[in-house]
Amino acid sequence: MNRNKLFLALLCLASGPLHAQKSLYHKGWVDFNKNGRRDVYEDVTQPLDKRVDDLLAQMNLDEKTCQMATLYGFGRVLKDEMPTPGWKTEVWKDGIANIDEELNGVRNTPKAASKYTYPFSRHAEGINNVQRWFVEETRLGIPVDFTNEGIHGLNHDRATPLPAPIGIGSTWNKALVRRAGETVGREAKALGYTNVYVPILDPARDPRWGRVVECYGEDPFLIAELGKQMVLGVQGQGVAATLKHFAVYSVPKGGRDGNARTDPHVAPRELHQMYLYPFRRVIQEAHPLGVMSSYNDWDGVPITGSHYFLTELLRQQYGFDGYVVSDSRAVEFIADKHHVATDFLDGTRQAVEAGLNVWTNFYTPATYINNVRELVKTGRLAQATVDERVRQVLSVKFRLGLFDQPYVPNPRQADKTVHTPADEAFALQANRESLVLLKNENARLPLQKSQLKNLLVVGPLADNPDPAISRYGPSNNPVTTVLKGLQAAAGPGLTVQYAKGCDVVCPGWPDTELVPTLLSPTEQQGIADAVAKAQVADVIIAVLGEDDKTVGESLSRTSLDLPGRQQQLLEALHATGKPVVLVLINGQPLTINWAARNVPAILEAWFPSPSGGTAIAEALFGDYNPGGKLPMTFPKSTGQIEFNFPFKPASQADQPIAGDPNGGGKTATNGPIYPFGFGLSYTTFTYSNLQVTPSEAAPQAPIEIAVDVANTGPVKGDEVVQLYLRDKLSTVITYDSQLRGFERVSLAPGEKKTIHFTLRPDDLKLLDRNMNWVVEPGEFEVLVGSSSTDIRAKQTFVSKAE
């Protein structure tokens, strides 16, 4: 179908008589401003800058300010599923920058339920109808950018679900994350979304923080590498990716969340090397079209009101050329929480002057839009500043092709391209690769079905679907819980029983973590019932951890122990003398000291997606060999926090029992339960023949590294080969070592592969005493191994002076 016929076909879906709108659509172009001629901005053959300039010159203040705000979709701010005559009296009669989460059927929001959410083709048609209103009913016809979330699958009813980001981080698989991005982008495009809020690039340095579950991990290099692949995947499908949350967002004081999310205690050098590093690299290497500004401050200045962050760093230093959208309430917080603006109006001025393009909040955009109009009319905000902010928004819309093809060209195709059988198979593989084997004493796993008759699955997460369906991912997909997965995989001759044992939390939680209370008769009975069933079981699978009500946005914790009565349940099961396997369903590292010492086998599953129960059953029965690695350190106690990787020399070293009077005396808990990069396998791997070339490198020269890795065990398995770099002597204190390369490789028994890495100047740089990025001359040590502490080979090279 040619373009002209396509537009005419799309018009058939519109309300109103066809003849009234027919003249807008021409072969190869749309008469957006309805003046009967082809303007420069309507001409696909014209350069981007000329098209933007032409459109901007035709816009009045009302139209410009409407391109500076978000309209939340149906069920949040929009009250109508489809355009109504009343829209002509709303502020968006002059257009809007973007509409967020339009008709996506977001979970646990009954008022957002819509007949246009599913089937997928109906949603594409619904988006087209909304888009058509803005094209045909506003003066200049500026199309809308339809935004949505997508951190572990597109946030849409029945889209392809992926594990929580902390699980994706555990895969350490760049190719898998690239495909995840391609899946999210392809589904967004088919459904009519043009911009996806993904990935989260915040280093999760404090495990108490509730949003750890939504991050790739604690290490900036790991985050940058995976985030880059996600952006390339999404934008390769013609959809914008918007990074979040810029910046210094993930270290609130004390790990506290919600309204307390402010006051990060981060030194300037750490700011750049740790928290800005993923953003800088992803912006420079993947060129995302969007960035979300965070609502915290740094060093007393709100990020969303900071010219340094939103303009000097983001645009001038990093080269970002998309548009900046605020996190919800970020502009309001400039006055309401940070108290550096007299009111919302003054906060609006600060944000726009700092570099904010688009405001977002969960109420009508009229207030913000009118703020900008008043500021311009009263001379408090320069018209040129508004023009520049609008120019950046329009540029993204042109680059997305919205002025060339504003509609989903074939809505029916969405039914064939969203959540296909191939997508479902990929989601299962992502769940498999996110699994991390933490302990396997005496080869307790995998379980041998032929040697078992009775299996007991117990715990409040054993048959709980909630962690598989979270706020920022797909909704309404059927969930295979751990219980269902084991039942399906058990086969004839193996009976799988179930006991809940206890709830995720207990009455009075979290106060009961401070002042323990006696178990109620009901709680005692629940544990007793589980113990009774355990008496006749050959093996107990305890599925414990957290649900989406105990970890997530605005759900920070002061303890990292198993919540509620789960520890008592685990100890009671262990006391039966039957073998216990612990499966963790959780969103953050937990202080599982007792389990690490007493339970023979522990499998970390994080928050899997709906097919997670199948992947877990495969791993427990040996049909799949877990190969994931921890993207975060597991501390022994919250008293050790901050305890993470990378770290400065001696900052996390064991305190000696005796010796130097300034350093001796065993008064502290030392070491992690499990270090960064840790993960076991059902097989074994050996490293050999590490080569670093050249041994003396000229300035700016790449360093080539090769190492042989062999599977020396009995079964196929995945190893994540990790490369760390240590600067032996420097003018400022550097991290003890830094991750600078990783590769997940699958090896059959007896198979050997050579893994290659390249170190580039950026990998060697530090911020010197004058805060300049430099590669200092001297000796560097390359460390290659299976985790940050399990180093199998080392070699040095020298970087020469310029």
Side-chain angles (χ1 to χ4, degrees), residues 504-533:
V504 174
V505 298
C506 57
W509 183 88
D511 190 61
T512 53
E513 293 185 328
L514 304 177
V515 182
T517 59
L518 296 175
L519 277 69
S520 69
T522 300
E523 291 173 324
Q524 292 175 354
Q525 188 62 51
I527 293 177
D529 290 344
V531 168
K533 290 184 177 180

Side-chain angles (χ1 to χ4, degrees), residues 30-244:
V30 181
D31 188 9
F32 289 102
N33 64 3
K34 308 158 191 70
N35 65 358
R37 66 175 184 270
R38 190 174 190 173
D39 291 78
V40 172
Y41 85 91
E42 298 164 348
D43 188 349
V44 68
T45 67
Q46 293 293 320
L48 172 65
D49 289 344
K50 286 188 176 181
R51 298 181 77 183
V52 174
D53 289 343
D54 180 62
L55 176 55
L56 193 62
Q58 297 187 42
M59 297 172 71
N60 59 40
L61 181 61
D62 287 353
E63 289 160 338
K64 290 174 181 177
T65 52
C66 281
Q67 294 299 314
M68 298 174 69
T70 293
L71 172 62
Y72 260 103
F74 174 67
R76 272 75 90 202
V77 173
L78 271 178
K79 306 305 180 186
D80 311 301
E81 290 179 277
M82 289 294 111
T84 68
W87 283 24
K88 281 290 190 177
T89 64
E90 299 284 356
V91 70
W92 54 87
K93 70 181 183 300
D94 294 308
I96 201 74
N98 61 49
I99 300 180
D100 195 26
E101 299 190 25
E102 173 69 335
L103 304 168
N104 67 346
V106 63
R107 187 187 185 212
N108 294 332
T109 309
K111 62 183 181 180
S114 168
K115 65 182 180 181
Y116 289 96
T117 297
Y118 186 85
F120 301 129
S121 55
R122 187 178 298 164
H123 182 269
E125 292 169 356
I127 289 291
N128 278 349
N129 288 339
V130 176
Q131 185 74 284
R132 185 173 298 105
W133 187 90
F134 283 92
V135 170
E136 297 178 356
E137 299 298 331
T138 63
R139 187 178 72 93
L140 295 176
I142 301 173
V144 172
D145 183 15
F146 288 98
T147 58
N148 199 0
E149 302 283 350
I151 57 174
H152 55 106
L154 187 69
N155 187 25
H156 187 88
D157 183 12
R158 282 167 269 200
T160 301
L162 300 172
I166 192 66
I168 294 174
S170 296
T171 70
W172 292 61
N173 189 332
K174 289 171 281 191
L176 182 143
V177 177
R178 177 67 168 266
R179 184 173 172 186
E182 292 169 348
T183 302
V184 170
R186 168 172 46 83
E187 296 190 341
K189 186 81 169 179
L191 288 163
Y193 300 111
T194 51
N195 192 332
V196 183
Y197 294 154
V198 66
I200 290 178
L201 295 182
D202 304 302
R205 303 290 286 174
D206 190 332
R208 295 169 298 181
W209 184 51
R211 300 195 82 170
V212 165
V213 65
E214 298 175 7
C215 300
Y216 289 146
E218 67 190 12
D219 179 82
F221 184 88
L222 176 66
I223 297 164
E225 289 288 298
L226 299 184
K228 172 184 174 180
Q229 296 304 320
M230 181 63 74
V231 171
L232 291 172
V234 170
Q235 296 200 161
Q237 303 299 306
V239 173
T242 292
L243 315 180
K244 57 184 194 176

Side-chain angles (χ1 to χ4, degrees), residues 221 224-225 228 277-286 762:
F221 184 88
E225 289 288 298
K228 172 184 174 180
Y277 177 90
F279 288 95
R280 175 182 65 81
R281 281 207 45 214
V282 173
I283 289 168
Q284 292 178 344
E285 297 173 25
D762 189 72

Side-chain angles (χ1 to χ4, degrees), residues 449-460:
K449 285 186 275 188
S450 62
Q451 300 176 12
L452 302 174
K453 292 184 178 179
N454 295 292
L455 189 69
L456 176 64
V457 185
V458 61

Side-chain angles (χ1 to χ4, degrees), residues 464-482:
N464 186 341
D466 287 348
I469 310 173
S470 72
R471 165 67 179 85
Y472 293 118
S475 302
N476 301 322
N477 285 301
V479 176
T480 300
T481 62
V482 179

Side-chain angles (χ1 to χ4, degrees), residues 145-376:
D145 183 15
F146 288 98
T147 58
N148 199 0
E149 302 283 350
I151 57 174
H152 55 106
L154 187 69
N155 187 25
H156 187 88
D157 183 12
R158 282 167 269 200
T160 301
L162 300 172
I166 192 66
I168 294 174
S170 296
T171 70
W172 292 61
N173 189 332
K174 289 171 281 191
L176 182 143
V177 177
R178 177 67 168 266
R179 184 173 172 186
E182 292 169 348
T183 302
V184 170
R186 168 172 46 83
E187 296 190 341
K189 186 81 169 179
L191 288 163
Y193 300 111
T194 51
N195 192 332
V196 183
Y197 294 154
V198 66
I200 290 178
L201 295 182
D202 304 302
R205 303 290 286 174
D206 190 332
R208 295 169 298 181
W209 184 51
R211 300 195 82 170
V212 165
V213 65
E214 298 175 7
C215 300
Y216 289 146
E218 67 190 12
D219 179 82
F221 184 88
L222 176 66
I223 297 164
E225 289 288 298
L226 299 184
K228 172 184 174 180
Q229 296 304 320
M230 181 63 74
V231 171
L232 291 172
V234 170
Q235 296 200 161
Q237 303 299 306
V239 173
T242 292
L243 315 180
K244 57 184 194 176
H245 307 85
F246 186 80
V248 216
Y249 173 76
S250 53
V251 278
K253 184 179 178 181
R256 286 179 283 273
D257 213 339
N259 279 345
R261 190 182 292 117
T262 186
D263 198 23
H265 290 182
V266 175
R269 188 169 279 103
E270 185 182 14
L271 166 73
H272 292 279
Q273 293 182 329
M274 186 69 60
Y275 296 97
L276 295 178
Y277 177 90
F279 288 95
R280 175 182 65 81
R281 281 207 45 214
V282 173
I283 289 168
Q284 292 178 344
E285 297 173 25
H287 310 291
L289 292 177
V291 164
M292 180 181 290
S293 68
S294 57
Y295 43 72
N296 56 281
D297 68 287
W298 181 74
D299 196 27
V301 179
I303 300 295
T304 298
S306 168
H307 187 270
Y308 173 69
F309 277 94
L310 299 193
T311 298
E312 294 175 42
L313 279 178
L314 200 56
R315 296 192 183 276
Q316 296 171 3
Q317 292 189 31
Y318 299 169
F320 175 68
D321 61 355
Y323 77 76
V324 181
V325 60
S326 75
D327 202 348
S328 298
R329 292 202 70 191
V331 179
E332 286 81 349
F333 279 159
I334 295 174
D336 295 348
K337 181 161 71 171
H338 302 302
H339 306 297
V340 297
T342 54
D343 51 23
F344 183 29
L345 181 68
D346 188 41
T348 299
R349 178 191 59 79
Q350 291 188 30
V352 176
E353 290 183 341
L356 181 71
N357 298 100
V358 176
W359 161 98
T360 299
N361 208 335
F362 292 96
Y363 57 78
T364 176
T367 304
Y368 180 82
I369 290 170
N370 287 326
N371 275 356
V372 181
R373 291 172 182 173
E374 180 180 345
L375 288 166
V376 173

